[in-house]
Amino acid sequence: SELKEGKLSYISIFPNPFRHNITLKTDISLSDASLLLCDLTGQCVRRIDHLSGNIILVEKENLEPGLYLFRLMEGFVEMATGKIVLIE
């Protein structure tokens, strides 16, 4: 299964940096997508599955303050990647 680049042309992330929750808004509606949050060592610290629609809300929960890399996937298609910052 080969990783392919998706057709997402726009993603809005706000607020960034964030304290309690962060919203990702896409230009297309996703179907059964997954969001992976990884720390700078590459360890995935959170995975949110079965996402649909074009707005994703991520709660802080047990995340520690710091820089995280995210990957938004729809099946084996990478729709978007980026950085988010959690502050105290």
Side-chain angles (χ1 to χ4, degrees), residues 21-70:
N21 56 56
I22 191 166
T23 301
L24 289 77
K25 186 173 181 183
T26 62
D27 64 338
I28 62 167
S29 187
L30 301 168
S31 175
D32 199 25
S34 298
L35 180 71
L36 289 81
L37 291 180
C38 301
D39 63 20
L40 292 182
T41 68
Q43 179 180 354
C44 284
V45 295
R46 172 132 1 123
R47 180 184 176 109
I48 305 169
D49 292 317
H50 310 297
L51 298 169
S52 295
N54 69 329
I55 296 176
I56 301 165
L57 180 66
V58 180
E59 301 286 341
K60 173 188 182 249
E61 295 177 8
N62 61 345
L63 292 175
E64 295 293 324
L67 177 65
Y68 293 91
L69 306 176
F70 74 84

Side-chain angles (χ1 to χ4, degrees), residues 66-78:
L67 177 65
Y68 293 91
L69 306 176
F70 74 84
R71 177 180 285 172
L72 184 59
M73 305 287 295
E74 198 174 53
F76 291 104
V77 178
E78 184 176 82

